[in-house]
Amino acid sequence: MLITMTLNGKKVADDVAADTLLIDFVRGHGCLSVKRGCETANCGLCTVFMDEKPVLSCSVLAARASGHTITTLEGLQGEAAEFGAFIADQGAEQCGFCNPGFMMNAIALFREKQDPTDEEIKEYLAGNLCRCSGYEGQLRGIRAYLDWKKQREEDAQ
């Protein structure tokens, strides 16, 4: 079946089998930040934005994404680079395998919550499997990034 979507700002069309998963579609179009981790929609490694909302691409058929806008980490390099430095500074990227899915959910958090509590941050991290860090580094990185962003906005005024 022929499907079309906007992938990272570009219109793409492709003929896919009815059972093709969105993860396979985006990886087939060069978006290698989207990773396969658990195959059970529990790890968050395959997170993408569909119409600006995070979804697990391993549990969405590519045909269901037809006509929608899909954004992967490759399409969010500006936002990701700024935030990523804070994660690295806290040592929260030990092996790096979980980073793309984690970054996608963190960016969703930043877009939806201006000043999240630690509990709200933990809710956004809950769907992301990280076997290396124990999540405290990510929490510190997010908090440091939000504090820096707030200070930058105050300085601009």
Side-chain angles (χ1 to χ4, degrees):
M1 81 179 42
L2 181 64
I3 64 170
T4 61
M5 67 182 67
T6 302
L7 178 60
N8 294 327
K10 297 177 183 171
K11 288 280 188 192
V12 294
D14 208 344
D15 193 27
V16 300
D19 63 347
T20 301
L21 293 173
L22 182 57
I23 186 173
D24 298 317
F25 183 86
V26 298
R27 285 186 62 82
H29 284 84
C31 300
L32 302 181
S33 70
V34 184
K35 297 179 182 170
R36 189 179 303 287
C38 66
E39 306 253 0
T40 60
N42 286 311
C43 70
L45 295 177
C46 66
T47 302
V48 300
F49 288 167
M50 186 159 120
D51 299 330
E52 300 300 320
K53 296 290 181 191
V55 299
L56 298 172
S57 64
C58 74
S59 61
V60 175
L61 291 172
R64 299 266 312 176
S66 188
H68 293 274
T69 298
I70 305 299
T71 308
T72 68
L73 193 59
E74 286 85 355
L76 298 172
Q77 287 302 301
E79 286 177 85
E82 188 176 79
F83 167 60
F86 287 86
I87 294 302
D89 185 55
Q90 294 299 321
E93 60 168 14
Q94 292 176 16
C95 82
F97 192 69
C98 70
N99 280 1
F102 170 76
M103 301 272 295
M104 293 296 290
N105 283 301
I107 290 169
L109 167 69
F110 303 148
R111 290 178 175 185
E112 294 174 18
K113 306 270 185 187
Q114 293 297 315
D115 189 22
T117 64
D118 284 356
E119 286 306 311
E120 289 172 321
I121 294 169
K122 288 177 184 178
E123 285 177 29
Y124 275 78
L125 299 183
N128 295 280
L129 178 65
C130 177
R131 296 178 187 216
C132 299
S133 72
Y135 305 99
E136 289 303 313
Q138 284 104 336
L139 180 60
R140 287 191 311 269
I142 287 174
R143 186 56 56 211
Y145 173 73
L146 291 170
D147 291 346
W148 171 80
K149 193 173 167 184
K150 186 176 185 178
Q151 184 63 51
R152 187 176 71 173
E153 290 169 0
E154 288 173 5
D155 291 346
Q157 293 176 355

